[in-house]
Amino acid sequence: MKTRALAVAIAVLAISQTSAFSQWLNVKLPGVPRNADGTVNLQASPPRAADGKVDLSGVWRAANGRFIGDLARAGGVQAPLLPAAAALYNERKASNGLDRPSGKCLPKSVPDGMILPPYPIKIVQTPAVTLMLYEIFVAYRQIHTDGRALPERRDPNWYGYSVGKWDGDTFVVETVGITERTWLDDSGYPHSDDMKVTERIRRSDFGHMTDEFTFDDPKTYTRPWTITVPFELVPDTELLEYVCENEKDLAHMPAK
C-alpha cells in the first residue's frame, strides 16, 4: 500500500489539498481467502451474505484510470450528444476542465467519484441499504434495498436518489435526481437534472467486479448509452480521510 499512499500524496500536493495517511493502510481482515504465502486469493469465489446474495462489501477501485479522462472513449463508445450538449462538452474540453466541480472542492458523483484511481470506494452491504463510501472528499451514497420506490419529488442533489434490487447475482441500481452541476467524468460529459442512471453490478470472484452504467437523458443525449467499468478489490486496507479543506488554485488560473 506504500505505492497507493505515494500516489495519493502526489495527487493531493498537485491540487493543494489536504489528506491524512496515518490510518489503517495495512490490516489483515478476518474471513478473507488467502494463498499459502498469506496474500489474498483474488480468484476465490465471491462471498455471500446470510440471505444467499453475493456480498459486494469491500474496498474497491477502478482497475485503471482511463475512464475518468474520457468515459465514453474508454468504454469503446461515442456519447450520442445532442447539439447543445456537444457544444458544452467541447467548451469544457477546450478549457481543460477549468470549471469542473471538484476543482472548487465540490463533490464528485455518479460515476466520476467511483472511477478515479487511486481513490477507492468502500461498499457496505446490508439487507435494507447498501452504502458506497467515497474516499475522495469523504462522501457517501445510499442505495436503498428495502423495497421503496424512487421518489416522485426529486430535488436535485449531488448523489441523487438510488434504489437497488437483485436480479440473480447482479445488483441492479437505479439513480435519479443528480444535479446537472455534476460531470460524468473529468473531461466534462454533461447531463440534465432528469438523467436516470441504471447500474448492473456483478462480482465475478473475490477480487473482481464490474459496474455497467447506462445513462438515459433525452435532454442531453439522443439515446441511452452504456459503458462497463472494471473494478478490483483493494485488500487488507481501509479508506483514507481525504478532505478538500481549502481550494486555493482557482484564483491563479487564467480566465476563459
Side-chain angles (χ1 to χ4, degrees):
M1 297 310 298
K2 291 182 179 179
T3 301
R4 173 180 162 215
L6 177 60
V8 174
I10 292 172
V12 170
L13 288 172
I15 58 176
S16 299
Q17 294 173 336
T18 301
S19 183
F21 299 106
S22 56
Q23 295 169 315
W24 292 288
L25 281 176
N26 295 283
V27 55
K28 286 196 173 183
L29 301 175
V32 173
R34 297 189 180 275
N35 300 307
D37 62 358
T39 59
V40 176
N41 182 1
L42 299 177
Q43 284 73 45
S45 298
R48 292 191 177 268
D51 58 7
K53 295 180 175 64
V54 172
D55 192 350
L56 303 175
S57 298
V59 178
W60 300 89
R61 66 182 170 201
N64 57 68
R66 71 179 191 273
F67 289 93
I68 192 66
D70 191 324
L71 186 68
R73 180 178 294 180
V77 301
Q78 182 172 353
L81 290 154
L82 289 168
L88 176 58
Y89 177 65
N90 290 332
E91 178 183 336
R92 289 173 174 177
K93 285 192 69 176
S95 69
N96 293 316
L98 176 65
D99 291 329
R100 72 168 60 95
S102 59
K104 304 173 184 177
C105 285
L106 295 172
K108 287 183 172 290
S109 183
V110 181
D112 69 325
M114 305 164 63
I115 57 175
L116 179 58
Y119 308 107
I121 59 171
K122 181 176 182 177
I123 298 179
V124 181
Q125 182 175 318
T126 77
V129 64
T130 293
L131 302 176
M132 287 191 177
L133 310 179
Y134 291 55
E135 180 169 285
I136 190 166
F137 299 163
V138 196
Y140 69 91
R141 175 186 176 202
Q142 299 184 85
I143 302 170
H144 298 284
T145 52
D146 55 5
R148 73 181 68 182
L150 290 168
E152 293 185 8
R153 177 177 175 177
R154 302 167 182 173
D155 298 326
N157 58 56
W158 289 96
Y159 294 93
Y161 306 87
S162 298
V163 297
K165 63 182 180 181
W166 286 89
D167 179 9
D169 286 345
T170 300
F171 189 43
V172 182
V173 181
E174 295 181 321
T175 302
V176 296
I178 300 175
T179 175
E180 65 183 14
R181 296 173 68 188
T182 72
W183 296 10
L184 297 185
D185 67 354
D186 276 355
S187 74
Y189 284 110
H191 66 87
S192 75
D193 291 346
D194 292 334
M195 176 181 68
K196 179 179 181 180
V197 182
T198 302
E199 296 166 75
R200 298 181 66 85
I201 304 174
R202 305 175 179 90
R203 186 173 189 173
S204 57
D205 58 22
F206 193 82
H208 302 89
M209 180 178 74
T210 57
D211 194 338
E212 178 189 279
F213 297 90
T214 297
F215 307 101
D216 188 356
D217 184 1
K219 292 184 178 179
T220 308
Y221 300 97
T222 61
R223 54 178 172 76
W225 57 288
T226 299
I227 58 98
T228 300
V229 179
F231 287 81
E232 59 188 13
L233 187 73
V234 189
D236 293 340
T237 192
E238 277 293 355
L239 299 185
L240 300 172
E241 185 177 273
Y242 178 173
V243 177
C244 186
E245 182 179 2
N246 187 14
E247 196 288 312
K248 298 179 181 178
D249 291 338
L250 196 62
H252 303 286
M253 293 182 179
K256 291 183 180 179

